[in-house]
Each structure stands twice: as structure tokens, then as C-alpha cells.
Amino acid sequence: MAYNPNNPNGQATAANSAPVVLASNVVVTGSLVEIATGGATMWHTASAAGTNPTIIKAGAGKVTGWYIYNANGTARKVAFHNTSGTPQAGTAVYFSIPIPALSAANCPFPAGIDFSSGISLTTTTGLADNDSGSVALNDLIINILYK
């Protein structure tokens, strides 16, 4: 029998290749290997007094995680806006993260949350989407991972 290194379907793409079927007693093992490039970018701030309108990325991107700490004795909110321009608290909220009093939120999203226009945020004291109440200096420590 002769060895033929060519794909029998004559195609190089996975969609046009012959399927591979493994027997039920086959164990496939592997591991994740870190590489030096291609990871998420870190954005960090401690809140100023106000609503902190901030452009994190002025173009399409993905939020891949966050760590947010609320040092205040009442709940605070971080609202994300899908815009490349300066966001306005209480308008066009893409999604928000309420942070309970004296608590933190830590969440990874390896596949990311898509933002088609840009990644921006604001901070408020109220939880409603239309709230525009100003937080105090250092109420929130905000770390956003994005691509």
C-alpha cells in the first residue's frame, strides 16, 4: 500500500476535508500554553467625583473581563456604552454592572463581549439606566480587560 500525503478530497480547508472519527476509548490530552503577545489590554482607574465619562477604546472591540470594587457604603453602578465618542451618563446604556456596597465584581469573559462602535463607560450612584447621579472621589476602583 502506498502512502499519499494529499487530502483525498483535494481540498485544504477543514470544511471540505474528510471527517476524523475517534473511537470511544481514545483519550485526547492537551494543555494551554501562554504566549507573550495577543492578550487583553488592561485599563485602570479610581473614580473621580462625577460620572466619569470615559472612552476606553475608540473603535470596535471586546470586553474580556473586569474587576470593580465599590468602597462606598451604598451601591454604585458602572454603565458600558457602545460608542467611540464620550458617553453621557443616563443615556444609551449598552449594559451595566451594579456593585453592592463595600463589595467587588470580578468576571472573566474569554470570548469577549462585542462592542461594534467603541468601548466607553460612566459611573453613577443610582441603578436605573437613566440615572446620572455622581459618584464620589475614589468610590470605585475599576479594572477593565479589553481587546
Side-chain angles (χ1 to χ4, degrees), residues 1 4 26 34 42 48 55 67 69 77 83 96 117 129-130:
M1 175 155 100
N4 181 355
V26 173
E34 285 192 40
M42 171 64 76
I55 300 168
Y67 175 81
Y69 175 71
K77 180 183 77 179
T83 181
S96 62
S117 298
D129 279 350
N130 65 352

Side-chain angles (χ1 to χ4, degrees), residues 7-51:
N7 182 319
N9 293 328
Q11 301 293 323
T13 63
N16 296 313
S17 298
V20 174
V21 179
L22 299 176
S24 62
N25 63 342
V26 173
V27 177
V28 178
T29 60
S31 61
L32 296 175
V33 177
E34 285 192 40
I35 58 174
T37 61
T41 300
M42 171 64 76
W43 179 86
H44 165 79
T45 195
S47 65
T51 60

Side-chain angles (χ1 to χ4, degrees), residues 134-146:
S134 296
V135 301
L137 178 67
N138 296 324
D139 268 2
L140 296 163
I141 301 298
I142 305 169
N143 299 284
I144 306 295
L145 296 162
Y146 70 96

